Amino acid sequence: MSKDKKSKAPKQAIGVDIGGTGIKAALVDVRSGELLSDRIKLPTPDGGEPEAIAQVVVELVGRLDDERTTPVGVTFPAIVRHGRTLSAANVSKRWIDFEAEAFFEQHLGRPIHFVNDADAAGIAEDHWGAAKDVDGLVILTTLGTGIGGALIYKGVLVPNAELGHLELDGHDAESRASNRARESEGLSYEEWATRLQRYYAHLEFIFSPDLFVVGGGVSKSSDKFLPLLDLKTPIVPATLRNNAGIMGAAALAVGL
Ligand code: BGC
């Protein structure tokens, strides 16, 4: 980008992070990653249907920018290819093969940048968080309802790495190793760590990364399970926590 274009580039953007249980948004300073507003959150409507989710997104964006001038980035927990959602692991099946970006643009009345949730979180951790100073291959995984994955090589995102859907011991990995699996099966952290060990050792063998970053709400308790893992690759908790998706979406909205 030329110096002139850079000075005209927007300095703020709105990030919206759509998850299985909540939809969060904030205004972000895209030069520093700092949140310029409170993080606002509304529950994800039951069933996760497109119209109901769009209404919530319109409400949140309207609260942050009623003039409709600020760039907007939106994350979604599915494969996103050229604005189209191609999967729906933990949301309504209506999102499969759905022109989601255009749909949100219609509802919001402005262009947006639409991206997979883990990819947005990976970009934010790479710019501003746990992977900031790491050169080489960074793999971010989010351990939540599902498992999200982001592959970032020297700052460049390889989109839609669906690392939660690798097969592990004959199962979809996220059905065994997500935080939801830990909670719903009542696993102790030690029991869960045995599954995480299998999972991360498998990822390590396939990709030989330089760093694993572990995100998702449970990463705030990472001292209970990360020290139990025995890997050659350093593995660290995400540092941006709940804000990573919002920050990454905002960054992508201005083309960072
Ligand atoms: C989806 C991914 C998503 C991840 C985390 C998985 O089930 O397939 O696209 O990134 O959950 O939300």
Side-chain angles (χ1 to χ4, degrees):
M1 206 186 273
S2 73
K3 241 185 174 174
D4 190 41
K5 271 197 180 154
K6 212 169 183 174
S7 63
K8 285 189 195 135
K11 299 184 175 63
Q12 302 182 353
I14 293 171
V16 181
D17 192 12
I18 301 177
T21 54
I23 305 180
K24 299 171 286 202
L27 185 65
V28 179
D29 178 330
V30 287
R31 293 159 305 178
S32 63
E34 195 192 331
L35 263 51
L36 300 172
S37 71
D38 284 345
R39 190 179 63 211
I40 49 181
K41 181 171 177 180
L42 288 171
T44 305
D46 282 346
E49 296 294 333
E51 293 74 17
I53 289 188
Q55 263 182 28
V56 174
V57 172
V58 169
E59 160 76 27
L60 290 172
V61 171
R63 282 197 214 169
L64 294 167
D65 175 33
D66 50 12
E67 290 181 4
R68 301 189 171 199
T69 48
T70 313
V72 178
V74 178
T75 81
F76 197 76
I79 299 171
V80 178
R81 189 138 188 269
H82 304 305
R84 200 174 171 84
T85 37
L86 299 185
S87 65
N90 297 301
V91 282
S92 156
K93 299 293 172 222
R94 280 189 52 214
W95 291 96
I96 300 176
D97 264 327
F98 187 74
E99 288 293 348
E101 185 171 74
F103 176 78
F104 282 107
E105 287 181 342
Q106 249 169 30
H107 280 267
L108 287 163
R110 59 168 116 182
I112 64 158
H113 186 92
F114 192 64
V115 61
N116 169 268
D117 56 354
D119 282 348
I123 284 288
E125 290 292 340
D126 195 64
H127 274 308
W128 297 301
K132 193 168 49 149
D133 299 319
V134 179
D135 198 21
L137 180 62
V138 174
I139 297 188
L140 167 110
T141 52
T142 56
L143 302 174
T145 310
I147 295 182
L151 279 186
I152 296 168
Y153 182 61
K154 297 192 176 196
V156 176
L157 173 73
V158 181
N160 292 310
E162 284 286 322
L163 303 179
H165 300 292
L166 285 176
E167 189 181 307
L168 195 65
D169 299 330
H171 299 269
D172 199 30
E174 72 175 23
S175 73
R176 306 279 295 159
S178 64
N179 189 47
R180 176 162 72 182
R182 178 185 72 83
E183 286 175 347
S184 64
E185 295 183 48
L187 302 176
S188 66
Y189 279 107
E190 288 73 18
E191 287 167 326
W192 189 43
T194 308
R195 296 185 183 186
L196 292 177
Q197 173 67 31
R198 294 269 305 117
Y199 179 59
Y200 285 108
H202 190 47
L203 282 180
E204 178 172 68
F205 176 67
I206 297 177
F207 294 106
S208 300
D210 294 285
L211 178 72
F212 283 121
V213 179
V214 180
V218 72
S219 66
K220 64 176 181 296
S221 309
S222 64
D223 55 324
K224 300 204 177 94
F225 57 93
L226 289 190
L228 306 179
L229 304 184
D230 181 17
L231 301 162
K232 292 181 217 84
T233 314
I235 184 162
V236 298
T239 57
L240 307 173
R241 300 277 154 78
N242 276 332
N243 294 338
I246 292 174
M247 292 163 69
L252 290 163
V254 298
L256 272 191

